[in-house]
Amino acid sequence: MLYFILNDLNKINPIYQFSLKAFNVVFEKAIQRTQPADEVKERVINLTDEITYSVFMYTARGLFERDKLIFLAQVAFQVLSMKKELNPVELDFLLRFPFKAGLTSPVDFLLHQGWGGIKVLSDMDEFRNLDSDIEGSAKRWKKFVESEAPEKEIFPKEWKNKTALQKLCMMRCMRPDRMTYAVRNFVEEKMGTKYVEGRSVEFSKSYEESSPSTPIFFILSPGVDPLKDVESLGNKLGFTIDNGKIHNVSLGQGQEVVAENALDVASEEGHWVILQNIHLVARWLSTLDKKVERYSTGSHDDYRVYMSAEPAPCPEVHIIPQGLLENAIKITNEPPTGMHANLHKALDLFTQDTLEMCTKEIEFKCILFALCYFHAVVAERRKFGAQGWNRSYPFNNGDLTISISVLYNYLEANPKVPWDDLRYLFGEIMYGGHITDDWDRRLCRTYLGEYIRTEMLEGELLLAPGFLIPPNLDYKGYHEYIDENLPPESPYLYGLHPNAEIGFLTVTSEKLFRTVLEMQPKESDSGAGTGVSREEKVKAVLEEILEKLPETFNMAEIMAKAAEKTPYVVVAFQECERMNILTNEMRRSLKELNLGLKGELTITTDMEELSNALFYDNVPEAWVTRAYPSMLGLAAWYTDLILRIRELESWTTDFALPTSVWLAGFFNPQSFLTAIMQSMARKNEWPLDKMCLSVEVTKKAKEDMTAPPREGAYVNGLFMEGARWDTQSGVIAEARLKELTPPMPVIFIRAIPVDRMETKNVYECPVYKTRIRGPTYVWTFNLKTKEKAAKWILAAVALLLQS
């Protein structure tokens, strides 16, 4: 069973390849290591424990941190299922999280989706009355759910006596953001503490397991050099570059010949060969594969090969041959996480000599420290996903070291500190050179505007709440200053709200369960013991979708109804046409799959993919390409689709603009916003290219609106992320804890000439279709703010069309 779990890991990342041969070696070594015992039963338990742990350690050192927990959870669930210690129905609930869509939570501490999950659980015998109990003892549950780390707290009343898995199911509904911690605790309780300690394996230990036929393969992360380990071990064992026993080849630009010669010599004379960045020489990899295999037998006992490569960004462009990966000992090296480690690491790129090299010593040291902080912030902000950066960028140590040389040259060459020039060089060229998204560029600029300015020389500049720029110190002093004064890790250090962390942890947890679900063995008895076979489940979903799918829009009829083709009518046509394309494909593919399941058609790969999607509650790929961006699972996505169709139906009955328009209901919200400009431009005879949208947030909800405005439109269905809208004072305000995407009131949108645009006290707020941000950008809305815009830029405040 363990081997099959390993074999499945390449679904997560194709660089995770393991051969049965390599697995056998680990297996046999584990048997030799096991404590002897006189009793057969005890011996079997000792063997099982040692083998499980050895395989876990062997595999885990080659996985990225984000994938270790997926592997660990999969091992735990599979081992416990095999021992019949898990109820398959409960495990299925935990991984799938089916929730009743469209319910409103009666208590303020549970999200609507979470309440929908509680309702599904309450239908099971083991969880009967959970829903009424939460409503009845709301105070006690609120205290539990809103605690700092609920996974460590005791559940209220008799719920504390539930099994560990049942508690996980309840926790998944109540605090999805804490599930990574809860799963780790579950594994610790069921399998032992040694699985969650996160010890890294000493490199010398991995070396002992290597041999001429077992190379060591480093999976690289940006900004980490694993070769220091190889070189320091080589020094101890008498292998160095100087004495010719280490051949270090950095690949690219015609180095393949050098590498081949190195392998020829090393295999004969017992040297080590280090091949760096082999992902850069795609065409030569099969030659390398053959050579490594050829020398894996009959070579000198001391001969070793070390390779390093970056993993491909997506499975389609993975190029490293299976042969090089599967027998190698894989080791990942990841950069340190957290502001504390990153700030020290940035400072470590310099020395006391660096600090003393500039004649404007105070200015130089002050800006150098601020740049180190900036460097740590931009690198570590990535972990917050799209709220960190819209797209991910390869910022590296070189960006910082070059920036410091530029700083030195500019300070030496100018009598006064050229603040604007420096900010421009760092923000638009050194770091900005990586950045491809305008909003990310604005963010980068704003950071530098906050961190690098004259006030820093008086020591009055806060780099983060509670973290002043340090006084003039020496090199050691700066390291000590960080240890003593840097506040504990939190989103505040990056200018973000603590909610950003909740959002990021929730996404991580969802990904964990989704991946583990897709790695469950397919042929287990009757669909994970739910009493329904896989095929029956697919059939049920298929029939339900077909039954509720409305008729396609009759375009000829709709066109005949519209008296004149106003910009709004054109938008309605386009939307109906796109909706038809989507629903036609849905109907066609479902009917085809239905015939396939009945045996009347041969099952094709397309049908196979559709069937898998229906089983895992994913929106099928063929539908996604014809639809609008969405992050919902299939069931919720379908409920949303029906709402969109209803909205279009009511609009096309008489083409009167709805009192308030659901902006998220469009395939193309831009076209509707443009239509507002066009119709007002025609009416007032204004030139279209000299106009912009004016956005006024009302104090009303959709239900309170009685009639559409005379010109422009009321729109609803937007959410704010990173902050909230204060309806009373009509400005952006600090978010409330755990309210990740509070809804906006109705917004009144009309067009005005550009020169009448209000530019004072506004935050230019991007509007995106989903939390993925980046490519789902729709428009920019100017929103009123009392605080300076920089605060909201760093907090990544945006409007979303889906919560």
Side-chain angles (χ1 to χ4, degrees):
M1 187 194 80
L2 286 173
Y3 175 67
F4 285 122
I5 295 177
L6 289 200
N7 209 21
D8 264 355
L9 288 174
N10 62 30
K11 290 181 187 165
I12 305 178
N13 191 326
I15 209 157
Y16 301 156
Q17 301 269 356
F18 299 90
S19 71
L20 189 54
K21 187 173 115 196
F23 179 79
N24 267 334
V25 176
V26 181
F27 192 83
E28 281 165 21
K29 283 192 175 152
I31 294 174
Q32 290 154 18
R33 264 204 299 269
T34 306
Q35 293 279 307
D38 299 335
E39 286 286 313
V40 170
K41 198 168 184 185
E42 197 181 328
R43 172 74 177 155
V44 169
I45 290 172
N46 290 354
L47 278 170
T48 312
D49 282 354
E50 185 58 52
I51 289 166
T52 308
Y53 185 62
S54 294
V55 170
F56 170 71
M57 286 307 281
Y58 167 77
T59 314
R61 69 181 158 197
L63 303 180
F64 287 118
E65 209 46 60
R66 60 177 180 267
D67 299 328
K68 277 184 185 143
L69 188 60
I70 294 177
F71 171 60
L72 187 54
Q74 175 68 338
V75 169
F77 293 147
Q78 291 290 320
V79 168
L80 296 167
S81 297
M82 197 162 97
K83 294 181 177 169
K84 300 272 183 269
E85 286 178 32
L86 289 188
N87 174 341
V89 179
E90 289 164 5
L91 179 61
D92 193 65
F93 175 88
L94 176 68
L95 299 181
R96 271 179 197 283
F97 187 55
F99 60 92
K100 294 186 178 167
L103 297 183
T104 304
S105 168
V107 288
D108 62 354
F109 53 88
L110 286 184
L111 297 168
H112 303 320
Q113 195 172 341
W115 181 250
I118 296 279
K119 286 305 241 186
V120 171
L121 273 185
S122 306
D123 292 343
M124 298 184 204
D125 289 346
E126 286 296 330
F127 299 95
R128 182 135 302 148
N129 301 329
L130 174 61
D131 48 357
S132 48
D133 194 56
I134 290 174
E135 284 192 75
S137 321
K139 211 169 185 175
R140 192 186 269 184
W141 279 101
K142 183 182 172 81
K143 184 172 176 254
F144 169 74
V145 173
E146 295 197 336
S147 61
E148 188 79 9
E151 71 281 358
K152 293 183 182 144
E153 303 291 329
I154 293 167
F155 273 80
K157 303 207 288 215
E158 72 272 14
W159 302 101
K160 61 175 171 287
N161 308 325
K162 292 288 172 200
T163 67
L165 180 59
Q166 287 162 351
K167 288 178 183 165
L168 279 182
C169 289
M170 293 190 280
M171 189 67 82
R172 173 110 208 238
C173 303
M174 296 170 187
R175 282 294 295 275
D177 60 304
R178 299 301 295 174
M179 289 314 291
T180 47
Y181 300 98
V183 168
R184 203 169 260 123
N185 292 352
F186 172 85
V187 172
E188 182 170 16
E189 181 188 330
K190 296 287 188 190
M191 311 264 300
T193 308
K194 59 184 178 186
Y195 284 93
V196 294
E197 278 168 346
R199 289 203 312 262
S200 56
V201 184
E202 289 281 296
F203 179 66
S204 53
K205 280 250 168 34
S206 298
Y207 171 74
E208 283 165 25
E209 294 172 37
S210 71
S211 71
S213 60
T214 308
I216 289 183
F217 195 107
F218 294 102
I219 301 175
L220 297 173
S221 302
V224 181
D225 176 21
L227 298 173
K228 290 196 181 83
D229 292 338
V230 180
E231 286 172 3
S232 61
L233 181 68
N235 279 335
K236 285 190 192 127
L237 301 176
F239 291 83
T240 63
I241 292 179
D242 295 341
N243 70 13
K245 288 192 175 180
I246 289 187
H247 305 266
N248 184 356
V249 186
S250 195
L251 285 156
Q253 297 270 313
Q255 291 297 300
E256 296 90 334
V257 185
V258 183
E260 288 181 38
N261 292 340
L263 289 166
D264 297 341
V265 173
S267 59
E268 199 149 302
E269 305 197 359
H271 298 170
W272 291 4
V273 181
I274 301 173
L275 302 174
Q276 297 189 51
N277 297 325
I278 63 169
H279 60 283
L280 299 178
V281 284
R283 291 208 185 107
W284 177 70
L285 288 177
S286 59
T287 313
L288 173 64
D289 188 13
K290 291 188 191 93
K291 228 174 177 56
V292 169
E293 188 178 352
R294 188 163 93 227
Y295 291 141
S296 67
T297 51
S299 290
H300 193 293
D301 283 350
D302 292 341
Y303 158 70
R304 293 286 184 281
V305 178
Y306 304 91
M307 292 173 273
S308 75
E310 286 176 16
C314 61
E316 295 77 53
V317 293
H318 169 81
I319 52 170
I320 295 170
Q322 195 174 345
L324 291 177
L325 288 168
E326 57 179 18
N327 290 321
I329 292 167
K330 284 169 283 301
I331 300 177
T332 51
N333 287 64
E334 288 186 88
T337 54
M339 197 62 209
H340 190 268
N342 271 291
L343 189 48
H344 278 302
K345 199 179 97 182
L347 202 53
D348 282 338
L349 297 169
F350 309 104
T351 60
Q352 180 61 33
D353 292 347
T354 321
L355 296 181
E356 291 168 3
M357 70 189 199
C358 184
T359 49
K360 294 194 181 63
E361 189 191 344
I362 293 179
E363 291 90 333
F364 181 69
K365 285 160 83 166
C366 206
I367 298 175
L368 179 135
F369 190 88
L371 275 175
C372 286
Y373 190 83
F374 167 74
H375 178 77
V377 164
V378 296
E380 195 55 7
R381 192 178 161 109
R382 278 195 291 247
K383 72 179 179 193
F384 296 102
Q387 255 187 293
W389 294 99
N390 270 340
R391 300 164 197 266
S392 80
Y393 303 109
F395 299 121
N396 57 49
N397 293 343
D399 298 329
L400 179 57
T401 49
I402 291 173
S403 293
I404 299 300
S405 320
V406 167
L407 170 66
Y408 167 75
N409 292 336
Y410 267 68
L411 289 182
E412 291 293 333
N414 290 289
K416 281 202 182 119
V417 179
W419 296 102
D420 290 341
D421 296 3
L422 289 173
R423 283 192 294 261
Y424 181 83
L425 287 161
F426 305 146
E428 299 289 342
I429 299 171
M430 302 311 158
Y431 286 84
H434 295 292
I435 299 179
T436 53
D437 179 285
D438 291 343
W439 299 101
D440 287 340
R441 194 172 285 275
R442 174 176 81 159
L443 172 66
C444 180
R445 256 202 316 269
T446 306
Y447 267 132
L448 288 162
E450 294 294 294
Y451 296 160
I452 295 182
R453 48 178 214 243
T454 352
E455 292 86 324
M456 63 198 306
L457 302 178
E458 280 82 69
E460 287 169 12
L461 185 90
L462 285 171
L463 290 169
F467 189 55
L468 271 167
I469 192 130
N472 188 356
L473 302 167
D474 64 357
Y475 185 69
K476 194 161 142 271
Y478 282 126
H479 276 301
E480 283 165 4
Y481 182 86
I482 296 170
D483 287 336
E484 286 160 21
N485 297 287
L486 186 68
E489 181 69 21
S490 86
Y492 283 128
L493 296 177
Y494 309 88
L496 288 158
H497 187 273
N499 283 350
E501 184 161 49
I502 297 177
F504 139 76
L505 285 169
T506 307
V507 171
T508 312
S509 305
E510 282 168 5
K511 199 167 167 201
L512 164 73
F513 290 122
R514 163 77 31 185
T515 312
V516 174
L517 174 66
E518 290 175 5
M519 287 170 69
Q520 293 307 298
K522 287 208 169 61
E523 50 292 325
S524 62
D525 40 295
S526 71
T530 40
V532 187
S533 77
R534 190 184 169 101
E535 197 163 296
E536 281 164 12
K537 183 170 169 43
V538 170
K539 249 194 154 119
V541 176
L542 181 151
E543 282 162 7
E544 190 185 3
I545 294 180
L546 273 177
E547 188 186 331
K548 291 189 186 155
L549 195 61
E551 283 302 302
T552 44
F553 289 99
N554 181 332
M555 294 310 289
E557 219 170 85
I558 291 176
M559 291 206 171
K561 256 192 278 179
E564 55 167 330
K565 282 198 173 175
T566 66
Y568 294 126
V569 169
V570 174
V571 171
F573 284 165
Q574 289 170 345
E575 290 292 320
C576 291
E577 280 178 336
R578 290 197 57 176
M579 189 57 84
N580 281 352
I581 292 172
L582 173 60
T583 53
N584 282 335
E585 170 58 24
M586 288 170 69
R587 200 172 282 108
R588 184 202 66 76
S589 57
L590 289 169
K591 284 182 173 164
E592 179 183 69
L593 175 62
N594 202 14
L595 293 173
L597 293 174
K598 285 183 185 158
E600 294 173 23
L601 280 178
T602 315
I603 299 269
T604 60
T605 46
D606 286 351
M607 292 189 211
E608 189 74 36
E609 278 167 17
L610 176 60
S611 153
N612 277 338
L614 299 183
F615 182 72
Y616 289 126
D617 190 43
N618 290 339
V619 184
E621 198 45 50
W623 304 359
V624 171
T625 51
R626 291 167 174 80
Y628 31 83
S630 170
M631 296 176 72
L632 301 171
L634 179 59
W637 180 88
Y638 191 57
T639 310
D640 174 66
L641 173 79
I642 300 295
L643 287 174
R644 288 165 182 258
I645 295 176
R646 298 276 169 264
E647 196 83 0
L648 276 176
E649 282 171 352
S650 67
W651 190 11
T652 51
T653 42
D654 57 358
F655 285 108
L657 200 59
T659 309
S660 173
V661 176
W662 178 34
L663 193 58
F666 294 110
F667 279 83
N668 186 353
Q670 289 94 319
S671 65
F672 178 75
L673 294 171
T674 310
I676 295 179
M677 297 221 290
Q678 287 168 335
S679 53
M680 286 185 68
R682 285 182 193 177
K683 193 172 150 189
N684 299 307
E685 297 185 343
W686 290 334
L688 193 59
D689 58 351
K690 299 232 166 46
M691 290 175 64
C692 62
L693 288 184
S694 131
V695 173
E696 187 189 321
V697 184
T698 69
K699 294 190 172 177
K700 294 180 171 170
K702 179 189 167 195
E703 296 71 49
D704 313 327
M705 307 312 274
T706 47
R710 277 202 332 248
E711 47 179 19
Y714 292 128
V715 300
N716 63 278
L718 285 93
F719 302 87
M720 186 173 272
E721 187 174 41
R724 68 188 169 87
W725 184 258
D726 183 341
T727 311
Q728 281 341 95
S729 53
V731 291
I732 305 175
E734 188 79 24
R736 293 194 184 96
L737 204 59
K738 297 199 178 66
E739 279 188 13
L740 302 191
T741 49
M744 292 288 287
V746 168
I747 299 176
F748 175 36
I749 299 183
R750 56 201 178 87
I752 52 169
V754 174
D755 49 19
R756 286 193 221 159
M757 187 65 152
E758 184 65 58
T759 50
K760 268 208 164 82
N761 304 332
V762 295
Y763 165 61
E764 293 182 10
C765 181
V767 183
Y768 298 103
K769 292 181 189 171
T770 71
R771 291 197 309 269
I772 303 172
R773 299 195 174 199
T776 69
Y777 169 77
V778 177
W779 207 278
T780 306
F781 284 1
N782 282 5
L783 299 178
K784 290 198 174 69
T785 172
K786 282 192 182 126
E787 310 203 39
K788 55 181 195 175
K791 175 181 171 125
W792 309 124
I793 294 173
L794 299 189
V797 175
L799 290 175
L800 305 177
L801 297 183
Q802 283 182 22
S803 63

